Amino acid sequence: GALAEVCNPIIMPDGESKSRGGEFWTPYRNGDKDMADFFKIWLRYNPEPDMPNKKGPGYFIEMWDHLANTKEGRRLISTDQGFKSWFVQFLDLRGRWINSVGSATTMKLWMDYGGSKEHPFNMTEFIKLDGDSQDGGFKTFDQFFLRAIKKGKRPLDETACVVSPCDGGAFYLQEENTRMTDHCRFILKEKSRDEFHLGDALPGYGNAFIGGPLIDFLLWFTDYHHFHAPVDGTVIHVGEYQGSYNYDFDNYDPKNPYAPAPLEGSDKVGYYNQLNKHKRFIWIIKTDNMGLVAMIAIGFWGVGSIISDVRPKQKLKKGEYMGHFGYGGSSIMLAFEPQQHNIKFLRDISSPDKPLLMKVRQGIGFERR
């Protein structure tokens, strides 16, 4: 059913099946290709840059998203326990492959890659393990993915009181609204009308940020996947929520009593309406002049790990190193209290649909009034 749906331009919204997603899945619908072969190829796929005649780093995840976002695909993901268990194991195996020596066959392509307008990439900004080697000395794709930045390539903006926690595209998701009546529900008009539940995404603290500015930084596969402190302050809470690597697999951490339960009746695969179900790390930072600031690191698209180097009660300086993501697509959100933030934009981060490309430790659009 999902294969039939994803290939039908009448059923799929916004003509999505006319994209390469519908074209990709047509041979599988027609029986010319087997689904088992799709997963076998994806399992050992070594990510390639977005170049002519190359698939790109997110190719198989993107194709799978087309299928998973159909009505039948969502039903399979939400109700078939056997598939859920199998797919989590598949993603674990995929992570092991990315960390194996067999995953490094595309390294020379990455060393020569010049990026794109939407996703800039410049290897001269990063440290190669072997500067004389054509493959940069990276023995696994994971080593390359977690490459370190050269000293001086991400200078700290000392004049801003809030800086970007990462490289990526910045979206402005919520304007301040002091008259909001439904205190856990945001309708994001430019994001397929996804519903964003801040209270669920930030257990114990979400309601403190309702009505305040909410900024999302989306990291593409080519971005530097380490993150840094956005503000000066003291960490008063650190929370790790297992969530799921991909979609709604309900594999929450039973040892964490504050981990949120799945929303009843939820069968969607969207990014924001499933935020409380994705794997994530949360830090609540108390500042001197802006009240509380929440930073949420979210693992989308098969991210299997988020590593934090920060402890509760730790004092942070803006720009200070905080941790990194495992391989995949990732996002970092910043939330501010509505009445306490006393800050304003320095940059034009105003759209929920058109990202402003940012670099880590760069001033992101706020300064003290």
Side-chain angles (χ1 to χ4, degrees):
L3 288 169
E5 186 177 345
V6 76
C7 298
N8 189 327
I10 303 301
I11 297 175
M12 293 301 291
D14 303 321
E16 188 173 348
S17 65
K18 296 179 182 179
S19 69
R20 61 177 181 169
E23 296 174 0
F24 176 88
W25 287 113
T26 297
Y28 293 89
R29 181 198 63 180
N30 295 345
D32 299 324
K33 292 185 178 181
D34 190 88
M35 285 297 299
D37 293 330
F38 167 76
F39 287 108
K40 287 178 182 178
I41 297 171
W42 183 6
L43 178 66
R44 294 177 178 267
Y45 173 64
N46 294 338
E48 302 169 325
D50 283 310
M51 301 170 67
N53 301 317
K54 300 299 178 183
K55 292 182 172 65
Y59 180 74
F60 283 94
I61 292 174
E62 182 185 350
M63 295 303 105
W64 176 247
D65 269 356
H66 286 298
L67 193 65
N69 275 288
T70 64
K71 181 178 179 180
E72 287 298 309
R74 294 194 296 267
R75 184 195 60 78
L76 176 69
I77 288 167
S78 62
T79 63
D80 192 318
Q81 297 300 323
F83 178 79
K84 289 183 180 184
S85 176
W86 177 85
F87 196 55
V88 169
Q89 293 178 55
F90 170 80
L91 291 173
D92 286 341
L93 286 173
R94 171 70 179 153
R96 293 181 188 179
W97 175 258
I98 289 297
N99 202 28
S100 73
V101 293
S103 67
T105 60
T106 58
M107 285 301 97
K108 188 178 184 304
L109 291 175
W110 285 105
M111 297 305 103
D112 298 335
Y113 182 51
S116 65
K117 181 179 179 180
E118 296 79 10
H119 305 295
F121 178 82
N122 185 352
M123 193 59 207
T124 63
E125 296 181 343
F126 300 96
I127 298 173
K128 296 180 179 180
L129 299 184
D130 182 352
D132 297 326
S133 174
Q134 290 187 332
D135 61 9
F138 299 105
K139 303 303 181 185
T140 71
F141 186 84
D142 196 54
Q143 280 188 345
F144 163 72
F145 184 74
L146 294 177
R147 62 196 177 276
I149 202 82
K150 289 181 179 177
K151 186 176 181 180
K153 292 297 182 180
R154 297 294 186 272
L156 177 65
D157 186 345
E158 299 282 1
T159 64
C161 66
V162 183
V163 298
S164 176
C166 58
D167 284 8
F171 299 86
Y172 191 67
L173 297 185
Q174 175 61 39
E175 294 182 1
E176 184 175 335
N177 182 359
T178 57
R179 295 184 179 181
M180 190 175 299
T181 56
D182 189 346
H183 291 293
C184 286
R185 187 168 176 265
F186 293 72
I187 299 294
L188 305 176
K189 295 180 179 179
E190 303 299 326
K191 291 288 183 182
S192 302
R193 297 194 64 81
D194 276 358
E195 294 183 15
F196 176 64
H197 295 266
L198 190 58
D200 293 328
L202 283 167
Y205 286 92
N207 288 338
F209 302 99
I210 296 294
L214 184 65
I215 314 296
D216 179 29
F217 299 83
L218 182 62
L219 291 77
W220 188 240
F221 297 89
T222 51
D223 286 324
Y224 172 71
H225 265 68
H226 302 257
F227 43 84
H228 297 241
V231 294
D232 293 330
T234 301
V235 178
I236 64 171
H237 173 75
V238 177
E240 180 180 12
Y241 303 94
Q242 292 300 108
S244 63
Y245 294 166
N246 221 32
Y247 313 117
D248 180 15
F249 296 129
D250 302 348
N251 54 330
Y252 294 87
D253 185 354
K255 297 180 181 179
N256 192 331
Y258 297 103
L263 297 175
E264 284 191 26
S266 177
D267 62 353
K268 298 180 180 179
V269 190
Y271 307 131
Y272 296 106
N273 64 337
Q274 291 258 351
L275 178 58
N276 64 306
K277 295 181 179 181
H278 285 289
K279 183 178 181 68
R280 64 203 189 282
F281 242 99
I282 292 170
W283 302 267
I284 306 295
I285 305 169
K286 183 177 69 174
T287 69
D288 289 339
N289 300 302
M290 293 176 285
L292 299 181
V293 175
M295 175 168 155
I296 316 169
I298 308 152
F300 293 131
W301 289 337
V303 172
S305 62
I306 303 172
I307 306 301
S308 171
D309 289 349
V310 176
R311 308 176 309 278
K313 299 183 180 180
Q314 181 175 336
K315 292 187 180 299
L316 290 176
K317 289 290 187 181
K318 66 181 180 183
E320 183 178 345
Y321 185 81
M322 290 182 66
H324 70 268
F325 290 100
Y327 175 70
S330 314
S331 180
I332 291 180
M333 285 190 175
L334 297 181
F336 301 85
E337 291 189 80
Q339 304 299 328
Q340 300 294 327
H341 58 81
N342 75 324
I343 44 184
K344 67 179 181 180
F345 282 112
L346 290 170
R347 301 177 186 277
D348 184 22
I349 305 176
S350 57
S351 171
D353 198 45
K354 298 178 181 179
L356 177 68
L357 295 178
M358 302 292 299
K359 298 294 187 183
V360 66
R361 308 176 88 219
Q362 184 179 11
I364 67 168
F366 292 107
E367 65 180 357
R368 294 181 182 87
R369 286 176 177 157

